[in-house]
Amino acid sequence: RPILSVLYKGKKYECPICGGKFRKFLPFGNSGEANRLCPGCLSLERHRLLWLYFQNKTGIFTEKLKVMHVAPEQPYYKRFRRASNMEYITADLESPIADVKMDLHDIPFDENTFDVVICNHVLEHVTDEHRAASEIFRVLKKGGWAILQVPVEFNRAETYENPAITDPWEREKHFGQKDHVRVHGLDYPKRLQNAGFDVTEEQYLNDFSEQQRDYHRLPKQEVIFLCRK
């Protein structure tokens, strides 16, 4: 990463997470789409938008909070760990950097433990989405909030899933990736509501001009799902 930061150094784009300025970003994705991955912290578009949301729309860096981060993303991990205001716990089924090894279907914490739960691009992987979301709801304190992002196809009315499809190549054909078990549609907020959450669809991307979106390489389309207990 230090070498990439030097090679890609410039002034055209800025990553709001690491503060690096670059002439372009790295390609990423199945087809190697250009200008997506930050050379400094390896953030993607969704990470950068959510970071700005955390900074500007929440008290995650100022309030005294107990935070659980499921499947912790590299661009966030060290920065959250350094935040003196929060008790920061990471959790994952396999990740070597996780504090707690756990299955999201059976979270090993008591009810009303956390002020905040961050769980990004995980629920499209789990066998039982309702049970996993209900477990997050259970361990969240009353008045607490969670960010439960998934890839959403905004032209799809209902989430598509088929548990009979287990072959990785068939899953990639049906769900977009070998380790995905569903494709979420516009009914995703209702599915979270069925787990108990009060869901607000934050159109935070609209706070930025086209020039700002391009400068920070933000998503073309993204809704932030703010889930409260």
Side-chain angles (χ1 to χ4, degrees), residues 16-35:
I17 301 179
C18 66
K21 294 185 178 182
F22 307 100
R23 57 184 176 84
K24 66 177 179 177
F25 283 7
L26 297 165
F28 186 82
N30 292 337
S31 58
E33 299 139 271
N35 215 13

Side-chain angles (χ1 to χ4, degrees), residues 15 32 79 94 127 152 156 163 168 192 197 202 211 213 219:
C15 173
R79 291 165 177 85
E94 298 177 347
T127 304
V152 173
R156 180 184 293 275
L192 295 174
F197 289 105
E202 298 275 9
Q211 184 179 10
R213 293 184 194 187

